[in-house]
């Protein structure tokens, strides 16, 4: 999770849908201006074929309080 803004952001939740799991950061966490915090999204398929999901990053950012990241595995 990267902060390209000029103020700290506090990430309060990391949500995933589909055959994916997220790890690597204890919630909540703060990302300073220009900083980043590594987060791991792992694909754990429950069936064959292409699977899709979404990672939702929830923060106190006034411009983008929720950022949706499409996932494919």
């Amino acid at each position: 999770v990267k902060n390209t803004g000029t103020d700290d952001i506090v990430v309060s939740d990391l949500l995933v849908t589909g055959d994916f799991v997220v790890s690597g950061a204890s919630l909540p966490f703060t990302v300073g201006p220009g900083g980043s915090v590594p987060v791991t999204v792992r694909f754990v398929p429950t069936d064959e074929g292409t699977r899709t999901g979404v990672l939702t990053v929830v923060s106190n950012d006034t411009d983008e309080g929720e950022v949706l990241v499409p996932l494919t595995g």
Side-chain angles (χ1 to χ4, degrees):
V1 177
K2 184 174 183 178
N3 179 0
T4 60
T6 57
D7 296 316
D8 286 353
I9 60 168
V10 177
V11 176
S12 57
D13 214 347
L14 297 168
L15 308 168
V16 287
T17 63
D19 292 351
F20 300 88
V21 294
V22 65
S23 63
S26 295
L27 295 168
F29 61 88
T30 300
V31 186
S36 62
V37 173
V39 172
T40 300
V41 177
R42 194 167 46 106
F43 179 52
V44 288
T46 58
D47 203 356
E48 294 182 16
T50 301
R51 316 298 280 174
T52 60
V54 175
L55 167 66
T56 303
V57 180
V58 181
S59 76
N60 68 336
D61 187 313
T62 56
D63 296 327
E64 297 179 282
E66 287 191 0
V67 176
L68 305 179
V69 181
L71 305 170
T72 303

